[in-house]
Amino acid sequence: MTFRRFPTAALPLVVAATFSGCTDPKEPSAEAFRPALEARVRDRFCSAIDVMPYEIEGEGGNAPFPIVTSPSRGMAGAGSDGMSVAMLDAFVEAGLTTRTAFEKPARWKGASDRPFVRQPLLSYAPAEKGAAYLRAIEHQATREKVAVPSFCVAKGELVDVVRWTEPVSVPGRMMSRVTYAYRGLDPVSFMSASDREVMARPKEAVADFELQSDGWHPMTR
C-alpha cells in the first residue's frame, strides 16, 4: 500500500480543511451567537424619528422616507417631536439629510376624518452620504415587522462574544444568557469629542438566546 506524503508546511491547511464546517449550530459557541448579536448592535445607536407625520393629498404615504411634517413650531414643541425636528435639522447642517420646504394640500396622518388643507410643509430625506445614518429599521409589531424611520448617530459594532451560560431548560425551551461587548464607530460629525470617546469605548450587555431547530436565536419578549 502506498501512502501519499504531504509537505510539512501543508499540514495546517489539511487540518483546517478537514475540520471546517463541522461546528454544530446547536452547540453554544461564539460563532453560533455572533450573527444575531451583530444584527442587534448594528442599530444600537439608532432612535425612532418621533415627529408628527403628514400625508399629502393624492400621494402614497406608506414609505418610510421622505418624512413630511409641519414647519410650525407649535406642532413641534419641546417634547419628543421638537427634539426629533432639532436632530433632523442637525443632520441637514451636517450634510447627511436634505430638507425641502413646499406647500401642498395635506393633513396629519392621524386625522383621516379631516379634509386636506393646503399648507406649508417640510420634507426630510437621507442624502447620499447620510444613508447609513438616516434609515428605516424594522421593529416587530403585533403580527408583522414594520419599518420605522430612524436616525443613527453611529454604527454599532460587535467587539466580542464574551461568555455565555451553560444551556438550561425552562418550560418549553432551552436557553442561554450571552454577554457581549459592543461599541460605536463612525459617529456623526456634529458629535462632541467627549461623546465620541465614550461611544468608542467597548461596553458589555447581555442577551437571552433560545435553542430552536436551526440553532440559537435571541429570545422574543
Side-chain angles (χ1 to χ4, degrees):
M1 180 179 294
T2 302
F3 292 91
R4 182 182 177 185
R5 183 181 297 275
F6 287 96
T8 303
L11 287 178
L13 297 177
V14 174
V15 173
T18 302
F19 290 98
S20 63
C22 295
T23 303
D24 186 351
K26 294 186 179 182
E27 285 294 324
S29 66
E31 290 72 22
F33 300 127
R34 184 175 298 277
L37 291 174
E38 287 177 339
R40 172 170 292 202
V41 303
R42 182 182 59 233
D43 303 330
R44 189 82 187 205
F45 300 94
C46 301
S47 301
I49 300 174
D50 187 11
V51 299
M52 184 175 288
Y54 280 68
E55 58 178 330
I56 300 171
E57 185 176 23
E59 298 183 14
N62 295 325
F65 295 102
I67 297 170
V68 178
T69 190
S70 170
S72 171
R73 291 309 178 187
M75 300 301 291
S80 58
D81 189 80
M83 289 187 288
S84 287
V85 170
M87 180 66 82
L88 285 169
D89 288 339
F91 272 55
V92 172
E93 294 301 318
L96 302 174
T97 305
T98 62
R99 178 180 57 207
T100 306
F102 60 97
E103 285 192 11
K104 280 189 176 182
R107 66 186 179 192
W108 175 48
K109 277 189 177 181
S112 57
D113 58 333
R114 296 187 179 182
F116 289 96
V117 177
R118 189 173 184 84
Q119 57 188 295
L121 297 166
L122 285 177
S123 174
Y124 294 90
E128 183 176 352
K129 67 177 183 178
Y133 298 95
L134 195 72
R135 54 192 175 86
I137 296 177
E138 285 194 337
H139 292 263
Q140 185 66 49
T142 305
R143 295 184 177 179
E144 59 185 9
K145 290 186 176 181
V146 295
V148 179
S150 306
F151 37 60
C152 306
V153 294
K155 302 171 186 177
E157 179 191 57
L158 180 67
V159 177
D160 190 23
V161 182
V162 181
R163 57 185 173 274
W164 53 89
T165 62
E166 288 296 326
V168 296
S169 180
V170 296
R173 64 182 66 181
M174 183 73 70
M175 67 164 288
S176 176
R177 175 158 290 183
V178 182
T179 301
Y180 60 96
Y182 69 95
R183 63 180 175 180
L185 297 178
D186 300 331
V188 291
S189 58
F190 54 83
M191 182 176 292
S192 68
S194 58
D195 287 341
R196 287 168 178 262
E197 183 179 350
V198 171
M199 186 170 291
R201 194 178 304 145
K203 304 169 187 64
E204 287 193 359
V206 297
D208 291 329
F209 277 71
E210 65 175 327
L211 181 60
Q212 298 180 8
S213 60
D214 59 346
W216 289 93
H217 295 268
M219 291 180 65
T220 57
R221 297 181 178 180

